[in-house]
Amino acid sequence: MQQLPAEETIRAALKKTHARLNRQHELVAEFGVMSLKATALDALLTHACEVVVEGMETRFSKVLQPAEDQEGFVLSHGVGWDPSDIGRATVGGDVASPAGYALTTQRPVLSNHLSTESRFRTPELLKKYGIERAINVPIRGVLSPFGVLEADSSDGDDFVESDLVFLEGISNVISMALERMSAGVNAPLADPYSETLLNASPDWIEILTPGGEIEFMNEAGLLFLGIQLGDVKGQHWHDLWPEESRSLVWEAMGKVSGGETARFEAHHSISADDPKWWDVTVAPILGAEGEVDRIIAVSRDITERHQYEAQLLSLIEAQNTKQNRSDLYLDEIHHRVKNSLHLVNTLLLLQANLTPDTAVKLQLETAAGRVVTIATVHERLYQSAENQELRARDYLNALLGDLGKALADRKILLEADDFVLPPERMAPLGLVISELITNALKYGKGAIEVFVKHAGDHALLTVKDEGDGFPDNYPKPTGTGLGMRLVKSYSGYGSAAVVVDREERKSCIHVRFKL
C-alpha cells in the first residue's frame, strides 16, 4: 500500500485532532448550558456519561461513587456497561485502584496500558469488559469528594492529555450542578445561569440577550479586554470583534436566533504585538415556552495551537519550496503536462478536419483553442514562479488575459497595487485568483472585477461580479469543493482567510493572502 507523504500525514493528523478538540469544546459548552436547568441528579450524571462517550469516541463511561455499606466504589451511572452492573458492580477504593487514587489525591489518572500497569491493579470489572485504557477524574462534592468520572476503552487510539482536560471540564460542570442542587436550587432560576459557575471557567464567556446585547461577561473575558462589566453591558456583542471577524459573528448569531448552536474560529487581539485566536461556541438558552431567552457565547483561547499550526505548515511549505526548486523531476512533470495539452489540441484539430458538419467543426476548433490557452496558463503559473523578481501587477495582468481568452468572453478587470511578489508565493497567488475567477464565471454574471491591495505581510484579494450574491451558507465552515479548499490552503490563513461580503450589492468575496 502506498504511503502518504510526511506533510499529508501531518495535515491529516492535525485535521483529525482539531475536529476532536472542537467537538469536545462544543460538548462541554452544551453540557454546561444543559446543567444550568437540570433538576434531576440521576439524569444529569447519565447524560454526563453519554457526553463523555461521544467526546472521547469510546464505548464506555461511568460515574463511580463511594459504596454506602462497604469499602470501594459502586458503578452508579454509566454507558456501555451491562444494565445488571449499573448500581451493583464495584471496584476498589484504595490508592492501589486508579479510581481510589484519583479520589484520594484529587488528581486525574490516565493509563493507556492497564494490562501492564505497575502503578495500580486493574479492577476485575475492567478485565471483564477487556478495558485497556482508562482516564479517572475526581468529582468534587459540596462538603466531601462526590466520586469519580471515568472514560474507558477496549480498543482504538490512546487517550491523550487533551482528553483529560475534556473529562475535567465535564467533571467541573457536575460539581457546579451539585453545589447548586445542594443549596436547594432545584428549579430553574429567573436568571438561568450561575455567575459563580461562569466566573470559574478559564474561557471567555458572555451571556447575551436574544438581540445580541451583552448582559454578563465573566472575569476571564473582562481580564482579557481590560474592562469592567459596566463598560460593555448593553452593547452589541459583534461590536467587540474586529471588522474582519464580524461576518462570522453575524452568521453565528443568525443560527442561534433560530435555535441552533454555532461555532467558528476568529481573530481578536487587544494589541498587534499580542495576536489572539479564539474558538467560539454560541448556543441558545431556551425559555419555558421553547423560545430563545438568552444566548451564551464561550470563547476558548487557541492562540498557541494556531501559532503551532502556522509554524508547522510554514516548515512544510519551506521544505516543499526547497524541494521544488532543486527537483528536476518536477520540471519534467510540468513539461509533460504542457505537451499533453498540446497533444489534446492536435487531436481536436484533427477531428475537426475530418468532420463534415460545419457546426461541429467550429466547436472542435474552439475547444482546441481553449486547450492551448489553458496550456499557456499552466506555463505562466509554473515557469514564471522561477523568476527571482516579478511585479505582481505585471504577472496578474498577463494571467488574467490568459484566463479571459481561455474560459469566457466576459470582461475581467484588474486593479492591483504594484509590489514585488516573492517567487515562492507567485504560483499560489495565481492559483487562488484563478479559482475565484473560475467560480465567478461559473455562478456569477456580468463583468468580473479583481482587486489586489498590498497590506504589509499580506495582500487583500477581492473578486466581484454582477451576480445576486452568495447563498447564506457559503462558504460552509468546513469548506466544500476542491476549489475553495485550495483557496484556503494556498492563502496561508486557512479557514480564516475567506470572508463573503454580504453588505455589497454585487457578489463579493474577500481573501487574505499571506506574502
Side-chain angles (χ1 to χ4, degrees):
M1 182 171 62
Q2 185 178 8
Q3 292 184 339
L4 289 172
E7 61 269 20
E8 291 186 25
T9 302
I10 293 172
R11 290 178 193 270
L14 282 173
K15 183 177 180 180
K16 181 178 179 181
T17 301
H18 295 166
R20 180 162 171 159
L21 284 171
N22 290 336
R23 184 55 185 149
Q24 288 178 348
H25 182 198
E26 289 178 346
L27 288 170
V28 171
E30 292 168 2
F31 183 61
V33 172
M34 173 266 179
S35 73
L36 296 173
K37 293 188 175 183
T39 58
L41 181 58
D42 286 338
L44 177 71
L45 295 177
T46 298
H47 184 56
C49 294
E50 295 169 348
V51 172
V52 169
V53 163
E54 181 177 353
M56 302 286 283
E57 299 177 358
T58 185
R59 292 173 52 203
F60 302 96
S61 176
K62 61 179 178 287
V63 172
L64 298 169
Q65 293 181 256
E68 293 182 359
D69 302 328
Q70 56 184 329
E71 294 184 357
F73 296 102
V74 63
L75 195 170
S76 62
H77 304 79
V79 172
W81 315 97
D82 192 289
S84 62
D85 284 329
I86 297 177
R88 297 181 180 86
T90 60
V91 300
D94 60 331
V95 293
S97 162
Y101 182 86
L103 197 65
T104 301
T105 63
Q106 286 295 293
R107 295 172 58 188
V109 176
L110 186 156
S111 179
N112 283 312
H113 308 284
L114 286 174
S115 59
T116 59
E117 181 63 73
S118 60
R119 297 175 297 171
F120 315 104
R121 66 175 181 272
T122 302
E124 291 300 321
L125 176 65
L126 301 190
K127 292 180 181 178
K128 173 183 174 181
Y129 287 87
I131 301 300
E132 286 293 329
R133 283 164 287 283
I135 297 182
N136 292 265
V137 172
I139 303 173
R140 300 187 313 276
V142 179
L143 299 176
S144 61
F146 177 81
V148 175
L149 179 63
E150 182 172 336
D152 304 287
S153 174
S154 58
D155 51 22
D157 297 331
D158 286 355
F159 293 144
V160 295
E161 292 296 325
S162 58
D163 294 327
L164 191 151
V165 172
F166 164 66
L167 214 63
E168 286 184 314
I170 299 298
S171 171
N172 288 336
V173 172
I174 294 174
S175 297
M176 299 291 183
L178 289 171
E179 180 182 355
R180 177 174 62 81
M181 291 179 181
S182 69
V185 189
N186 292 322
L189 300 174
D191 292 325
Y193 60 88
S194 164
E195 292 187 13
T196 302
L197 186 153
L198 300 180
N199 282 325
S201 173
D203 295 333
W204 167 17
I205 302 177
E206 290 129 323
I207 300 296
L208 314 173
T209 67
E213 294 86 9
I214 297 171
E215 183 176 279
F216 171 82
M217 184 183 297
N218 73 339
E219 293 175 358
L222 296 173
L223 180 62
F224 164 67
L225 295 173
I227 59 173
Q228 300 294 321
L229 179 59
D231 298 332
V232 293
K233 191 170 183 179
Q235 291 186 17
H236 283 279
W237 182 50
H238 62 73
D239 289 337
L240 292 183
W241 292 86
E243 187 67 34
E244 65 268 22
S245 301
R246 288 182 185 172
S247 62
L248 297 172
V249 176
W250 288 327
E251 183 177 352
M253 290 298 292
K255 290 183 177 180
V256 175
S257 297
E260 300 180 49
T261 296
R263 187 189 61 81
F264 62 90
E265 291 185 8
H267 173 263
H268 189 316
S269 303
I270 297 301
S271 70
D273 297 330
D274 187 21
K276 292 287 185 181
W277 285 86
W278 303 87
D279 187 344
V280 185
T281 300
V282 193
I285 301 175
L286 301 180
E289 303 298 325
E291 79 284 2
V292 178
D293 182 62
R294 286 182 175 87
I295 295 169
I296 183 170
V298 182
S299 303
R300 175 161 295 179
D301 187 347
I302 57 168
T303 304
E304 185 176 354
R305 191 202 83 190
H306 192 273
Q307 291 173 342
Y308 172 75
E309 291 173 10
Q311 292 170 1
L312 182 59
L313 293 176
S314 178
L315 288 173
I316 293 172
E317 291 174 1
Q319 180 64 27
N320 287 344
T321 300
K322 181 178 179 181
Q323 180 178 344
N324 290 346
R325 286 178 175 174
S326 60
D327 196 342
L328 294 178
Y329 180 62
L330 187 60
D331 290 337
E332 179 62 19
I333 289 176
H334 298 328
H335 272 296
R336 291 184 182 182
V337 170
K338 180 188 70 174
N339 292 339
S340 296
L341 289 170
H342 282 292
L343 176 60
V344 172
N345 166 258
T346 301
L347 293 174
L348 287 171
L349 289 176
L350 179 61
Q351 188 65 38
N353 290 332
L354 294 175
T355 183
D357 190 317
T358 303
V360 173
K361 178 182 179 70
L362 179 60
Q363 291 177 355
L364 289 171
E365 288 175 345
T366 301
R370 286 179 173 170
V371 169
V372 170
T373 307
I374 291 172
T376 303
V377 171
H378 175 85
E379 288 182 272
R380 191 175 301 282
L381 285 172
Y382 290 100
Q383 291 182 4
S384 297
E386 296 301 321
N387 295 340
Q388 292 304 305
E389 282 195 5
L390 187 72
R391 308 207 72 81
R393 184 189 296 168
D394 297 337
Y395 169 68
L396 294 175
N397 266 320
L399 177 61
L400 266 58
D402 290 337
L403 287 172
K405 296 174 185 176
L407 301 176
D409 296 326
R410 285 162 56 188
K411 185 182 294 184
I412 302 177
L413 306 174
L414 173 68
E415 182 180 317
D417 290 344
D418 196 18
F419 57 94
V420 175
L421 191 67
E424 64 271 19
R425 298 296 289 157
M426 179 171 53
L429 177 64
L431 285 171
V432 168
I433 290 183
S434 296
E435 289 294 341
L436 296 176
I437 291 175
T438 300
N439 203 49
L441 290 169
K442 281 183 180 179
Y443 306 112
K445 60 184 180 181
I448 299 171
E449 299 173 270
V450 180
F451 302 89
V452 180
K453 299 298 180 183
H454 187 266
D457 64 343
H458 70 278
L460 182 62
L461 316 180
T462 301
V463 175
K464 300 180 181 180
D465 65 67
E466 298 172 8
D468 298 326
F470 293 88
D472 291 339
N473 63 346
Y474 181 91
K476 293 184 179 179
T478 55
T480 58
L482 178 60
M484 192 50 61
R485 292 203 299 271
L486 285 173
V487 169
K488 293 176 181 178
S489 175
Y490 283 120
S491 72
Y493 292 104
S495 298
V498 181
V499 175
V500 173
D501 190 347
R502 304 196 185 280
E503 295 184 353
E504 180 74 29
R505 292 183 178 179
K506 299 179 180 179
S507 297
C508 181
I509 188 168
H510 303 288
V511 174
R512 198 156 53 110
F513 182 87
K514 183 180 293 185
L515 299 179

